[in-house]
Amino acid sequence: PDLFEAPDYYNIDELLTEEHKLVRDAAREWVKRDVSPIIEDYAQKAEFPEQIIGGLAEIGAFGPYIPEEYGGAGLDQISYGLIMQEIERGDSGVRSTASVQSSLVMYPIWKYGTEEQRQKYLPKLASGEWMGCFGLTEPDHGSNPGGMVTNFKNMGDHYLLNGAKMWISNAPFAQVAVVWAKNEEGRIHGLIVERGMEGFSTPETHNKWSLRASATGELIFDNVKVPKENLLPNKSGLGAPLGCLDSARYGIAWGAIGAAMDCYDTALRYSKERTQFGKPIGQFQLQQKKLAEMITEITKAQVLTWRLGVLRNDGKATSAQISMAKRNNVDMAINIAREARQMLGGMGITGEYSIMRHSMNLESVITYEGTHDIHLLITGLDITGLNAFK
Ligand code: TGC
Ligand code: FAD
């Protein structure tokens, strides 16, 4: 009964199975107990709370849809989405850690790796014993990852990896990095790089105003000898990392709803408690307009995302459909965070409430995994057949 009462204006719950609701409620309870009470402090300190790793594993946040034989939770795409929604209601940075581990590290090992690689890495990543990171972005190649310069050479009994990645979530503490690099023919491949390999370092990125409870860093490869068995053999080309992004972007579309719900819920409560000019501020039409628009946008995003989940479960969702949901929902959430913050007046800028933290976090979420504008151009390409990137 004391669980967070999520906005559900169109009875979306009726579209969920008992399993979906159980998975969601377990995640919701854990976020309330283990994340919400501490996360503001960690964000203020700009530290990732490592003590929550075990809890993330327990609620199935590491590999929700990875088969149980590899330690994953074996759930469907809607359960995966609901877990991301609940985590991001707590904090986008915590959801980032889960997204990276599941969709950007476990997913490529599961989909593109050998059976030996799956057995070696997936169970340890699912339990959180090992944490992973994903190196695609480079200092000079963000939106255009196909231009990457990180490269590896075949040295006979091993590969020699050189280059650098930037803005990498989980990098400072990850044991395992899935790194995208070009071979001598310029073809992109994924390599599993492990902490401790000579010439591999992960300096932390400081002074972020956003996603402060998530650790971000660089990956630097200075003649790193990578064993040949660490190459992911079953897919190459830019489509390989982009396939991982499809899965992560889908999770972000759900996650953003969680952040928006928390901002809406906070502003709604505040509007009934805070009195000015002798009335609760929620009685003023201008404040009602903000709240009414927020719940409308959240509801539209919920319906969009649930439908996308059904398409994903059927294996029918296109990359462009995922782009639309990521773009729409993050934009929805960032606008709600901004309006909700104003509704709290001065209190809105403090860490007493979660809204300012969500607002700042969402500046990263609207940028990573493809910026707002890149996703618009993906929709543009899909509907016109004309490519703005070429
Ligand atoms: P383009 O020529 O269009 O495509 C190259 C090949 O990839 C295929 N493809 C996809 N495959 C699977 N999923 C997708 N979403 C795909 N999009 C394209 C495509 O069919 C082609 O295959 P093939 O076989 O013909 O070679 O590539 P392009 O160079 O024109 O670039 C297209 C563009 C701009 C859309 C793409 O590069 C892009 O999405 N850019 C944004 C980069 C990005 O999202 N980076 C994210 C880095 S990771 C991150 O941010 C993690 S944040 C941490 C957290 O999640 O919390
Ligand atoms: P740029 O690509 O330089 O873009 C700058 C601006 O130009 C943007 O507004 C963009 O929309 C616009 N632009 C670019 N191309 C076009 C175009 N063709 N038409 C119109 N406008 C265009 N990456 C990883 O690989 N792994 C991670 O774990 C990871 N984690 C991250 C964590 C954080 C906190 C952040 C902030 C980023 C992370 N990223 C990660 C990187 C992220 O994916 C990139 O920042 C993002 O893809 C944008 O690249 P960029 O920053 O180089 O911006």
Side-chain angles (χ1 to χ4, degrees):
D2 64 342
L3 273 188
F4 173 77
E5 287 263 345
D8 187 13
Y9 207 73
Y10 265 38
N11 303 342
I12 308 281
D13 262 22
E14 289 178 10
L15 300 171
L16 304 179
T17 62
E18 283 311 307
E19 180 174 76
H20 293 149
K21 285 186 263 189
L22 279 173
V23 165
R24 181 198 54 200
D25 290 352
R28 185 171 289 177
E29 203 178 320
W30 175 74
V31 168
K32 183 180 165 111
R33 194 186 61 228
D34 286 5
V35 179
S36 299
I38 59 147
I39 199 66
E40 179 64 31
D41 185 39
Y42 278 82
Q44 295 275 3
K45 290 191 293 197
E47 256 179 51
F48 172 71
E50 294 201 18
Q51 70 273 26
I52 68 173
I53 286 175
L56 279 164
E58 264 171 42
I59 62 162
F62 295 156
Y65 53 84
I66 302 282
E68 285 165 303
E69 60 177 308
Y70 300 117
L75 298 167
D76 78 346
Q77 290 292 312
I78 291 180
S79 288
Y80 161 42
L82 288 164
I83 294 173
M84 296 299 121
Q85 174 189 291
E86 293 307 314
I87 298 176
E88 194 146 359
R89 205 165 46 67
D91 189 80
S92 305
V94 177
R95 198 269 307 132
S96 288
T97 291
S99 291
V100 170
Q101 184 88 342
S102 297
S103 292
L104 302 183
V105 180
M106 295 177 73
Y107 178 88
I109 293 173
W110 174 46
K111 281 284 174 185
Y112 315 146
T114 61
E115 189 53 33
E116 291 72 40
Q117 290 169 339
R118 292 185 193 129
Q119 299 285 355
K120 176 174 176 189
Y121 296 102
L122 293 180
K124 287 199 165 75
L125 291 162
S127 69
E129 184 182 339
W130 284 351
M131 293 301 293
C133 67
F134 175 89
L136 180 65
T137 306
E138 300 189 349
D140 293 331
H141 302 93
S143 298
N144 176 26
M148 70 172 65
V149 293
T150 297
N151 64 88
F152 64 100
K153 287 197 174 79
N154 188 343
M155 306 302 281
D157 64 340
H158 64 270
Y159 298 118
L160 201 62
L161 178 66
N162 278 290
K165 301 287 176 179
M166 194 178 178
W167 296 119
I168 308 304
S169 301
N170 297 358
F173 56 77
Q175 281 82 13
V176 177
V178 169
V179 176
W180 300 95
K182 284 180 177 165
N183 69 8
E184 283 136 304
E185 288 80 49
R187 181 101 186 143
I188 295 171
H189 287 266
L191 296 163
I192 305 171
V193 178
E194 292 182 36
R195 185 171 296 284
M197 287 182 177
E198 210 181 316
F200 174 42
S201 58
T202 60
E204 184 157 359
T205 302
H206 296 289
N207 298 330
K208 291 181 298 170
W209 284 105
S210 174
L211 229 64
R212 288 168 63 82
S214 157
T216 315
E218 293 164 63
L219 304 177
I220 297 173
F221 314 104
D222 179 10
N223 285 320
V224 180
K225 281 186 186 173
V226 180
K228 284 207 148 164
E229 67 262 24
N230 285 27
L231 181 110
L232 299 173
N234 297 333
K235 191 161 167 93
S236 64
L238 187 57
L242 289 178
C244 309
L245 295 184
D246 274 358
S247 177
R249 290 166 177 174
Y250 166 75
I252 292 172
W254 281 92
I257 297 175
M261 279 178 173
D262 192 43
C263 293
Y264 166 75
D265 180 68
T266 306
L268 179 61
R269 284 168 199 275
Y270 193 84
S271 77
K272 294 191 223 171
E273 287 159 9
R274 176 72 175 168
T275 301
Q276 288 295 294
F277 300 96
K279 289 183 193 172
I281 59 167
Q283 203 170 334
F284 296 117
Q285 290 181 14
L286 285 173
Q287 305 307 319
Q288 289 189 3
K289 176 173 188 287
K290 288 187 202 292
L291 291 166
E293 285 178 348
M294 285 181 205
I295 190 63
T296 306
E297 290 307 314
I298 289 172
T299 304
K300 282 152 69 178
Q302 283 177 305
V303 177
L304 179 82
T305 313
W306 177 82
R307 174 66 188 149
L308 185 63
V310 172
L311 290 173
R312 294 263 304 167
N313 277 343
D314 292 345
K316 287 193 212 143
T318 66
S319 299
Q321 286 171 332
I322 296 168
S323 281
M324 182 185 279
K326 190 270 185 186
R327 179 175 186 272
N328 180 76
N329 292 9
V330 178
D331 193 52
M332 172 279 293
I334 208 167
N335 290 330
I336 286 179
R338 184 152 195 272
E339 293 291 302
R341 213 254 359 111
Q342 291 187 59
M343 287 188 65
L344 269 68
M347 285 314 289
I349 70 150
T350 72
E352 294 296 311
Y353 294 89
S354 53
I355 300 178
M356 191 74 190
R357 178 165 46 79
H358 284 304
S359 186
M360 295 198 303
N361 282 342
L362 288 163
E363 292 291 338
S364 289
V365 183
I366 204 165
T367 296
Y368 68 30
E369 300 267 6
T371 67
H372 189 64
D373 288 342
I374 291 296
H375 287 297
L376 176 128
L377 295 173
I378 292 172
T379 306
L381 166 58
D382 197 47
I383 59 179
T384 64
L386 304 171
N387 192 332
F389 302 113
K390 306 285 182 202

